[in-house]
Amino acid sequence: MTKFPATRPRGTGAYGLAGFTSAAVLFSVAQLVSAFFATASAPLVAMGSTFIDLTPPWLKDFAISVFGTNDKLALFVSIGVVVAVASVLLGILAKRSFAAAAACIVLLAVAIGGAVLSRPATGLVDLTPIILGAVAGLACLRWLTTLAAKDRAPASGAVPVAGSSRRNFLLGTALSLVGAAVAAGVGQSLATARNIADSARSALGLPAAKVPAKAPPADAQVEVAGMPQFITPNKDFYRIDTALSVPRINPADWSLRVHGMVEKEFTMGFEELLAQDLVESYLTLTCVSNPVGGQLVGNAKWLGYPLRRLLERAVPRDGADMVLSTSIDGFSASTPLEVLTDDRMALLAVGMNGEPLPLEHGFPVRMVVPGLYGYVSATKWVVDLEVTRFADKVAYWTTRGWSDHGPIKLSSRVDVPRSFARVPAGKVAMGGTAWAQTRGISKVQVQIDDGDWTDAELGAEASVDTWRQWRYVWDGGSSGNHVVSVRAFDGQGEMQTSEQANPAPNGSSGWQRVQFSVG
C-alpha cells in the first residue's frame, strides 16, 4: 500500500505575497528616512528622475501627448507597477533560493544608490535611506518566507493537520503592510513639515514693481462661452519640466552665480534680487512639446528683474553667444545671448500673477523669455548662469536630439467648439487663441469645411508678447458633421505654415482642424 506524506509545501502565491510585502517595506522605510535627507534620496524620486534623464525625445513626446501634465503621475504609477511585478517574482525566487533573492535586492539597492548619487546636490550621506530600506526589506523577506515555509498543506490523501502557520504568515504579512503604509505616511508628513520653502513662500511679501505692467484691455478677452481666460490662473498654468519631485528651496539659501565669458563674475542672493528695480510684464509661455491645437501654453503677469541688466553688470566678452542656465535639479537650457540682451522683456522672475512663484513653477526664482520655447529659456529654480558659446557647451535637451535654438513658431488653435462637440442648429459662436511672441498677431482666419477662408474678429492686443484671442460667428449650415480650420498671421503679415511637423526637434506646426456636429 502506497503511503502519502502528511504535508506538502504550499504554492508560490504566499512567496509572491512575501516578495510584494518586502518591497513595500523597503520603499516605505526609505521614504521615511529620506525626509531627513535630500529630496532625491527617496528611491522612487531618484529612479524616476534618472528615467527622465534617459528618456529619448520620441518617448517624451508620446508621454506628454497621452498624459499631458499628468505625465509625472503616469511615470510614478508605471514605476510602481514594474516594482510590484518584480517584487512578486523576487518572492517566488526566494522560495527556491533566498540567497539569490537577497542578491537581487542588494543589486537593486546599488542601482538605486547610483541613481541617488547621479542627482545634483546629493552625496554619500544621501545613500542612508536606501541602505536602511534594503536592510528592512531583506529582514522582512527572510521573516515572511520562513513563515511561508512553515505553512504546509495536507498532501493528497492525507488528513489535514491543524496549526497556526498560515495564521502566522497572514498576520505577519498584514502587520508588515500596515507598517509600510504608516512609514510612508509619516515620511510624507515629515517631508511636508520640514518644507521651509512652503512657509517662506507664504510669508513672502513681494516688493512693488518699479515699472508696473499696463492692465490688458477689457476686450482682450473675447466673449465666447467655453473660452480660456486671457490671464491663465496659476493653478491652471501648464507644467512640463524634468523635476519628478518639485525642488524645495529656502529663499534665504538661494543664490545665483553669473560667470563664464564675462569681465565681472558675481553671485546674487534673493534679498539683493528683490532690492533691484523690478518690472512687470505680461508674457505667454509655450512648451516645445505642445502639439498643434494643444494646451501646453499659458499667459501670465510676471514680476522680475530684466536679464539684460544682470548681464550688463557681468559684461559679456567678445565671442560669447549663449547663456547656459542651470536649475538646482540639474536641468539646463541654452539661450542665445542676443535674446537676453536686446529690448525684449526677458526676466529673472520672482512673481506670477501678483503672488510669489508657485513652488512647481520655479519658486523662488525662474527665467521667462519672450519668443523662445521653454526648453531653451524658461529655466525654473535657476541657480547658475554661464555666459559661453554654443560651440562649447550643450544643454539638457540638446544632448537628446532637440535643436539648441528654439524660437516659438506662429501658431493658432480652436478652443470652441471642442473636438467632436455637438452644437445646436443656428448661429454658432466659435473662438480660439493665436500667438507669435515678440511679433504679435495681425489676423486670424477660419474655414468651415472646404469653404473660403474668412477673417475672424480679434480681441484687443495686450502686447506682442502675449497670445491674442479670436471670435467667429458662423451662420450655421446643414445638420451633420462639419470641420473648422484656423490659421493666423503675425504682425509682419507672415502666414502660419500649413506644413505639418511634430514637436521634435524644434516645435510643431500646421493648421488645426476641429470636427464638430450640428443638430
Side-chain angles (χ1 to χ4, degrees):
M1 181 176 180
T2 304
K3 292 184 178 181
F4 295 94
T7 61
R8 58 178 171 81
R10 290 280 183 184
T12 57
Y15 288 88
L17 180 58
F20 175 83
T21 304
S22 301
V25 169
L26 185 157
F27 283 95
S28 61
V29 169
Q31 177 66 36
L32 171 61
V33 178
S34 71
F36 302 98
F37 296 88
T39 302
S41 66
L44 289 179
V45 172
M47 293 165 63
S49 299
T50 302
F51 180 83
I52 290 175
D53 287 348
L54 299 175
T55 300
W58 66 265
L59 184 55
K60 167 185 174 288
D61 281 344
F62 174 77
I64 292 175
S65 66
V66 174
F67 301 109
T69 56
N70 292 316
D71 57 335
K72 294 176 179 61
L73 175 60
L75 177 57
F76 271 126
V77 171
S78 299
I79 292 175
V81 170
V82 171
V83 168
V85 172
S87 64
V88 170
L89 297 176
L90 191 66
I92 296 172
L93 174 63
K95 179 182 179 182
R96 306 188 65 171
S97 172
F98 180 82
C104 290
I105 292 178
V106 172
L107 289 175
L108 173 64
V110 170
I112 294 176
V116 170
L117 293 179
S118 72
R119 312 318 304 161
T122 58
L124 291 176
V125 69
D126 294 303
L127 296 177
T128 304
I130 185 56
I131 292 174
L132 294 181
V135 170
L138 278 169
C140 182
L141 184 63
R142 166 60 80 181
W143 180 43
L144 293 181
T145 53
T146 299
L147 292 177
K150 293 179 180 179
D151 178 23
R152 303 178 71 83
S156 177
V159 178
V161 178
S164 59
S165 298
R166 165 149 293 197
R167 288 195 299 273
N168 289 341
F169 173 77
L170 294 177
L171 179 61
T173 300
L175 289 175
S176 298
L177 289 174
V178 169
V182 170
V186 171
Q188 186 62 38
S189 298
L190 284 174
T192 301
R194 295 179 71 248
N195 184 11
I196 300 174
D198 276 322
S199 301
R201 181 182 181 277
S202 298
L204 180 62
L206 292 176
K210 183 75 172 180
V211 182
K214 184 179 179 181
D219 51 354
Q221 176 75 54
V222 302
E223 298 301 324
V224 175
M227 279 289 292
Q229 297 181 53
F230 181 77
I231 302 298
T232 309
N234 290 355
K235 65 180 180 63
D236 297 329
F237 209 95
Y238 77 93
R239 180 199 165 198
I240 298 292
D241 52 55
T242 63
L244 192 58
S245 179
V246 175
R248 312 281 176 165
I249 305 172
N250 183 353
D253 298 330
W254 177 88
S255 64
L256 176 70
R257 182 187 178 208
V258 182
H259 64 108
M261 296 177 64
V262 296
E263 298 295 337
K264 301 176 182 178
E265 295 189 1
F266 63 91
T267 299
M268 173 181 284
F270 191 66
E271 290 300 323
E272 182 183 357
L273 175 59
L274 293 186
Q276 305 303 310
D277 292 339
L278 304 183
V279 302
E280 286 180 333
S281 178
Y282 288 94
L283 169 62
T284 296
L285 296 186
T286 309
C287 180
V288 71
S289 296
N290 196 42
V292 173
Q295 301 298 311
L296 301 181
V297 56
N299 188 44
K301 181 175 70 173
W302 306 92
L303 172 69
Y305 185 56
L307 279 157
R308 64 175 176 272
R309 302 296 184 205
L310 194 77
L311 292 168
E312 284 173 3
R313 175 179 168 183
V315 190
R317 294 175 183 163
D318 292 342
D321 62 4
M322 185 257 273
V323 173
L324 186 72
S325 56
T326 304
S327 165
I328 197 170
D329 71 339
F331 171 83
S332 59
S334 57
T335 309
L337 178 62
E338 63 178 347
V339 168
L340 300 181
T341 53
D342 62 16
D343 59 358
R344 75 184 71 195
M345 198 56 72
L347 297 178
L348 197 60
V350 297
M352 181 179 181
N353 288 333
E355 62 182 64
L357 292 170
L359 267 63
E360 65 272 18
H361 288 295
F363 180 82
V365 184
R366 68 169 295 168
M367 290 171 56
V368 291
V369 181
L372 297 182
Y373 288 118
Y375 84 106
V376 293
S377 67
T379 303
K380 302 175 183 177
W381 315 288
V382 62
V383 294
D384 190 277
L385 296 180
E386 180 183 2
V387 178
T388 181
R389 303 190 308 164
F390 281 102
D392 297 334
K393 293 293 178 73
V394 291
Y396 184 92
W397 284 114
T398 308
T399 62
R400 291 158 174 80
W402 294 77
S403 171
D404 55 8
H405 288 62
I408 293 175
K409 296 179 180 180
L410 169 61
S411 301
S412 60
R413 74 180 186 202
V414 178
D415 291 299
V416 181
R418 300 291 184 186
S419 293
F420 306 110
R422 189 175 184 84
V423 301
K427 292 187 175 182
V428 179
M430 302 178 177
T433 320
W435 56 89
Q437 290 90 321
T438 73
R439 293 167 289 161
I441 296 295
S442 61
K443 182 168 63 176
V444 170
Q445 293 183 328
V446 296
Q447 180 191 53
I448 307 299
D449 298 326
D450 295 320
D452 296 331
W453 287 95
T454 307
D455 290 350
E457 173 189 353
L458 290 179
E461 182 179 72
S463 161
V464 294
D465 292 333
T466 66
W467 58 17
R468 196 167 184 182
Q469 296 187 339
W470 59 267
R471 177 176 181 267
Y472 179 74
V473 179
W474 182 46
D475 288 335
S478 59
S479 298
N481 295 328
H482 297 276
V483 174
V484 55
S485 304
V486 62
R487 67 186 184 189
F489 296 75
D490 69 14
Q492 284 75 50
E494 179 182 345
M495 184 178 71
Q496 176 184 347
T497 180
S498 62
E499 182 179 350
Q500 296 289 324
N502 293 323
N506 58 6
S508 64
S509 67
W511 298 341
Q512 186 188 13
R513 293 168 57 85
V514 171
Q515 182 175 325
F516 64 100
S517 61
V518 174

